[in-house]
Amino acid sequence: MAFQKAVKGTVLIGGGAIATVFGLSQFSQYRNKHGTFVNVQAAEAVTVPIKHNFPTREEQILALQTTPEFDVLVIGGGATGCGCALDAVTRGLKTALLERDDFSSGTSSRSTKLIHGGVRYLQKAIMKLDFEQYRMVKEALQERANLLEIAPHLSAPLPIMLPVYKWWQLPYYWVGIKLYDIVAGSQCLKSSYVLSKSRALELFPMLRKDKLVGAIVYYDGQHNDARMNLAIALTAARYGAATANYAEVLRLLKTTDPGSGKERVCGARCRDVLTGQEFDVKAKCVINATGPFTDSVRKMDDQEVPNICQPSAGVHIVMPGYYSPDNMGLLDPATSDGRVIFFLPWEKMTIAGTTDSPTDVTSHPIPTEEDINFILNEVRNYLSVDVEVRRGDVLAAWSGIRPLVTDPNSKDTQSISRNHVVTVSDSGLVTIAGGKWTTYRAMAQDTIDAAIQAHDLNAGSSKTIGLQLQGAEDWSPTLYIRLVQDYGLESEVAQHLASTYGDKAFEVAKIAQVTGKRWPIVGKRLVSEFPYIEAEVIYGVKEYARTAVDMISRRTRLAFLNVQAAEEALPRIVDIMGKELNWSEQKKKEELEAAKKFLYYEMGYKVKSDQLTDSSEITLVPSDIERYKKRFHMFDKDKKGFITILDVQRVLEVKFPCVLLVSFLSLLPVLQCGISHTKQCN
């Protein structure tokens, strides 16, 4: 009772702030009310016919080569670029999209997997009375609701717990989270609530118990980011956009305006990366939606233009699912260096991240051991001492580069706004920069609006609000049951297919191979512990996958979930793709090596293996040192300072319980670091 009274008392503390934000929220809703009612059924106004199937990549390349002129040419196949293509084509504009790698191969597949408004941005908006930050949060929350509606198979609400360890923080955080609910208004997913200490530990038993006061739970959305990006691209293709991955822009084409005498961008010189063939794509308007590479394309237009993006690296790690509950995330609002850390369940694993530090722009960002250890240390601070947070439990790690808009007065990337900016150069190049995953649709709408105005294109208003994405039309939460009953798939596999492909899951099931077993009847797995099946590789080729990396990282998410499992699946994946794409033995070998290199550098395999080399410095906390010392002495009975095979054999012959075997296996990292390291621990 006292606990509830203390919480209710916070109403007085935060009443003024709540009233202020509520007033701003109502003002914003009133200001946009007319436009909202006009656009809420925007998808129903789409007059462009949608195809049952999307064209093949070869047909798309042919369309790019033979179309005399497009209305819009989008450069960049991330969430924003594909969003621009979808927005443009559904307005009736003849649209093309070029991506030099694979769809979502950059930042859009390396996110925190959240669809959110940004709790910390709202905090900054209130503390600094920054209406622009508030407007960004408001817009993101509206887009969150839309994204959950248009792709329900790929997204869902997720409760996130904010643990509180000081009494004074309880009213402070409660007010902030309630403001988040109020700003969302009618689009609030579920109302936030306060938990007592006992209830918080019941829902999140891994949580550190000592000094815990209570917790606050709020809701945001979560999605499969790479699949969501691909769904946007495939939807654009079905509406008629000529979209092609592995189509690199070499330079921009320009023509002289006879009226003004100025040079105008009129297309791009392209190269099919897979065949080496070069061709021109002409367009009335060219849109630069290349994320971290925004300034590279802008300099194709004008070498003297100043940079507008400041890249920031965000590292995430994946750990086993037992580190978090199946349906509850965790937010650390104030880490040791002021950054925010999320700890979230995803695809039956646990994601922890992210970091936020300046970086150089690269196509192949690599996670560092420093960033991985930072995340692990922050995780240790919030989990019970009974939960041993081990470096060896990091199953995958990746780095994504955020294309933040530079603020000249900002000293670090944490202070840079995640808002977006649309610019039009003197030659007509339209650039969309900044922003965040959640607001991709609004960013695309603003970009196409600017393109229409700058180039006098004949098109109406945006039609993408409520426009369902690939797989959403006939999806239902119970669709997977039909897959089990009609095709004889395992329940876990059926659930995976339904939540990945939506109503297109039946197309995958139809091509699934017979297992030869009593059950499941069809659906051979690529690796035993994950529900990905061989038929997905065949279907992935149809979805424009052209490399083994495409398959392990974006058509499936194996590389992001477990690098060793991805490596195990590679030979079979390469064999299937080789058959579908007529690869030679040499090509198959090259694909296998390229995929292993990707796993080694970009998915954290290298930093993990470096822990086991003589040249790497071993880093152990005091508790680790004591534990390994005890296990070491268990085998080193003669106090030699090292362990031989005979020592291991002697111990296991005397006492063979599994616990000794586990102890020995857990000691292997220390043993493999060399005798010198072992002596230091000893």
Side-chain angles (χ1 to χ4, degrees):
M1 183 65 69
F3 179 82
Q4 292 177 343
K5 287 182 178 179
V7 173
K8 290 178 180 178
T10 61
V11 174
L12 295 176
I13 298 173
I18 291 178
T20 301
V21 173
F22 183 73
L24 286 172
S25 182
Q26 293 304 306
F27 172 74
S28 178
Q29 286 181 343
Y30 175 79
R31 187 182 64 178
N32 296 320
K33 187 175 182 181
H34 181 263
T36 301
F37 280 127
V38 170
N39 290 325
V40 72
Q41 301 298 332
E44 297 181 3
V46 176
T47 57
V48 180
I50 186 169
K51 302 172 184 176
H52 178 69
N53 293 311
F54 43 87
T56 65
R57 183 180 181 277
E58 291 69 29
E59 291 171 338
Q60 297 283 42
I61 291 291
L62 182 62
L64 290 169
Q65 293 173 333
T66 58
T67 301
E69 185 181 50
F70 290 94
D71 293 317
V72 172
L73 167 61
V74 181
I75 305 174
T80 305
C82 292
C84 287
L86 180 58
D87 190 286
V89 74
T90 50
R91 297 195 200 199
L93 296 171
K94 190 176 294 184
T95 305
L97 181 144
L98 302 171
E99 163 57 46
R100 71 176 180 181
D101 204 306
D102 185 29
F103 301 115
S104 190
S105 58
T107 307
S108 295
S109 64
R110 302 167 189 249
S111 73
T112 313
K113 323 304 179 193
L114 285 178
I115 310 170
H116 64 130
V119 174
R120 60 173 171 160
Y121 304 141
L122 181 59
Q123 179 190 32
K124 291 179 181 179
I126 295 170
M127 300 298 288
K128 298 180 181 180
L129 298 178
D130 187 338
F131 184 74
E132 282 302 307
Q133 288 269 15
Y134 164 78
R135 188 175 63 84
M136 183 188 72
V137 174
K138 180 72 176 176
E139 178 182 66
L141 290 172
Q142 292 172 341
E143 293 302 320
R144 179 187 70 178
N146 183 68
L147 196 49
L148 288 167
E149 179 186 346
I150 65 176
H153 58 300
L154 294 171
S155 58
L158 176 71
I160 300 175
M161 181 181 292
L162 197 162
V164 180
Y165 288 91
K166 296 178 182 178
W167 277 103
W168 68 265
Q169 291 178 334
L170 194 61
Y172 176 76
Y173 288 140
W174 183 85
V175 169
I177 295 300
K178 277 301 172 187
L179 292 177
Y180 196 58
D181 290 350
I182 289 172
V183 173
S186 61
Q187 293 166 329
C188 178
L189 300 180
K190 289 185 181 180
S191 182
S192 58
Y193 55 91
V194 178
L195 294 173
S196 65
K197 176 179 178 178
S198 60
R199 182 60 177 155
L201 292 172
E202 183 180 339
L203 294 177
F204 208 116
M206 308 85 174
L207 208 57
R208 182 162 60 89
K209 303 174 184 178
D210 55 306
K211 297 182 181 180
L212 181 68
V213 172
I216 301 168
V217 175
Y218 73 98
Y219 287 80
D220 258 326
Q222 189 179 52
H223 69 154
N224 186 338
D225 53 1
R227 290 298 314 184
M228 186 75 80
N229 193 156
L230 184 61
I232 301 167
L234 295 176
T235 306
R238 289 181 62 197
Y239 274 106
T243 59
N245 56 351
Y246 295 104
E248 180 182 15
V249 171
L250 303 176
R251 65 178 184 275
L252 298 178
L253 302 178
K254 292 189 176 183
T255 186
T256 302
D257 189 325
S260 63
K262 292 182 178 180
E263 281 194 328
R264 303 286 291 177
V265 174
C266 63
R269 180 70 175 178
C270 311
R271 182 175 71 91
D272 185 338
V273 176
L274 302 180
T275 65
Q277 184 181 12
E278 294 187 12
F279 54 92
D280 290 340
V281 178
K282 298 289 186 67
K284 296 173 184 176
C285 172
V286 176
I287 295 174
N288 172 18
T290 52
F293 300 94
T294 293
D295 289 320
S296 299
V297 176
R298 291 175 72 240
K299 290 183 185 298
M300 288 183 183
D301 177 36
D302 180 2
Q303 283 289 336
E304 305 301 320
V305 72
N307 290 346
I308 64 171
C309 281
Q310 182 173 330
S312 165
V315 172
H316 295 80
I317 63 174
V318 169
M319 305 172 75
Y322 55 70
Y323 274 98
S324 65
D326 292 338
N327 60 348
M328 180 72 73
L330 185 74
L331 168 64
D332 178 358
T335 61
S336 56
D337 68 349
R339 293 182 281 195
V340 172
I341 290 287
F342 285 99
F343 194 62
L344 310 167
W346 183 68
E347 298 286 329
K348 298 187 178 180
M349 295 295 182
T350 301
I351 288 182
T354 178
T355 61
D356 190 356
S357 54
T359 186
D360 295 325
V361 176
T362 173
S363 299
H364 306 287
I366 298 173
T368 66
E369 186 62 26
E370 180 183 1
D371 285 328
I372 292 172
N373 281 325
F374 166 78
I375 297 172
L376 286 174
N377 287 333
E378 294 302 328
V379 168
R380 288 188 183 102
N381 291 337
Y382 271 81
L383 295 189
S384 169
V385 292
D386 298 331
V387 179
E388 183 184 339
V389 180
R390 305 180 301 182
R391 175 62 180 85
D393 281 343
V394 177
L395 304 176
W398 70 87
S399 177
I401 301 178
R402 304 183 191 91
L404 307 180
V405 180
T406 303
D407 179 354
N409 299 316
S410 174
K411 295 181 180 179
D412 56 70
T413 59
Q414 296 175 57
S415 303
I416 296 176
S417 171
R418 265 60 173 177
N419 214 340
H420 63 274
V421 173
V422 180
T423 64
V424 182
S425 71
D426 292 339
S427 62
L429 176 67
V430 179
T431 295
I432 170 67
K436 54 192 290 187
W437 223 119
T438 306
T439 58
Y440 86 92
R441 193 213 62 81
M443 292 164 63
Q445 177 179 327
D446 291 347
T447 305
I448 302 303
D449 285 344
I452 290 171
Q453 183 177 0
H455 293 271
D456 196 26
L457 301 177
N458 184 21
S461 60
S462 177
K463 308 293 194 297
T464 51
I465 293 180
L467 183 69
Q468 290 188 312
L469 299 182
Q470 170 90 350
E473 186 175 355
D474 295 321
W475 177 86
S476 71
T478 57
L479 181 145
Y480 79 95
I481 297 175
R482 290 174 54 198
L483 291 170
V484 175
Q485 294 176 336
D486 295 351
Y487 293 93
L489 288 161
E490 291 177 84
S491 182
E492 184 185 12
V493 171
Q495 289 179 38
H496 154 67
L497 294 181
S499 64
T500 301
Y501 304 94
D503 60 17
K504 302 300 178 184
F506 295 101
E507 296 183 13
V508 183
K510 287 176 183 177
I511 57 177
Q513 290 183 312
V514 175
T515 63
K517 302 177 182 178
R518 181 181 61 81
W519 190 263
I521 298 173
V522 299
K524 292 183 179 179
R525 295 196 184 205
L526 290 169
V527 283
S528 60
E529 66 265 43
F530 289 95
Y532 302 109
I533 60 174
E534 293 182 358
E536 292 181 77
V537 182
I538 300 172
Y539 195 76
V541 172
K542 180 182 177 182
E543 291 183 325
Y544 305 139
R546 287 299 180 270
T547 70
V549 172
D550 296 345
M551 198 62 64
I552 60 175
S553 59
R554 293 173 289 274
R555 302 309 182 278
T556 72
R557 306 312 307 272
L558 267 175
F560 283 79
L561 295 170
N562 189 315
V563 288
Q564 290 180 302
E567 186 179 42
E568 289 175 16
L570 269 176
R572 184 57 183 151
I573 287 174
V574 169
D575 282 343
I576 297 172
M577 293 189 74
K579 184 177 180 181
E580 294 296 312
L581 296 169
N582 297 316
W583 286 347
S584 64
E585 288 301 317
Q586 180 61 30
K587 174 63 175 175
K588 289 165 67 173
K589 182 179 179 181
E590 291 172 358
E591 284 294 324
L592 191 61
E593 290 304 313
K596 287 182 177 180
K597 184 178 179 181
F598 168 80
L599 292 173
Y600 187 72
Y601 289 104
E602 296 184 49
M603 289 291 112
Y605 218 148
K606 180 180 186 298
V607 286
K608 186 171 184 176
S609 62
D610 280 352
Q611 295 291 303
L612 305 178
T613 64
D614 292 337
S615 59
S616 62
E617 180 181 351
I618 188 166
T619 304
L620 299 174
V621 297
S623 60
D624 288 334
I625 294 174
E626 287 302 314
R627 183 172 66 257
Y628 286 130
K629 282 173 62 177
K630 290 179 181 178
R631 293 177 183 177
F632 182 87
H633 290 309
M634 182 187 300
F635 291 89
D636 184 24
K637 296 290 186 182
D638 301 328
K639 301 187 184 300
K640 302 184 296 297
F642 59 90
I643 296 173
T644 66
I645 296 297
L646 292 177
D647 293 327
V648 176
Q649 184 178 357
R650 182 181 67 244
V651 172
L652 295 181
E653 284 178 352
V654 176
K655 295 181 179 180
F656 188 73
C658 291
V659 66
L660 288 178
L661 185 58
V662 171
S663 296
F664 174 67
L665 293 176
S666 66
L667 188 62
L668 280 177
V670 176
L671 298 177
Q672 293 175 350
C673 282
I675 295 174
S676 60
H677 289 310
T678 306
K679 288 182 177 179
Q680 290 176 9
C681 292
N682 193 32

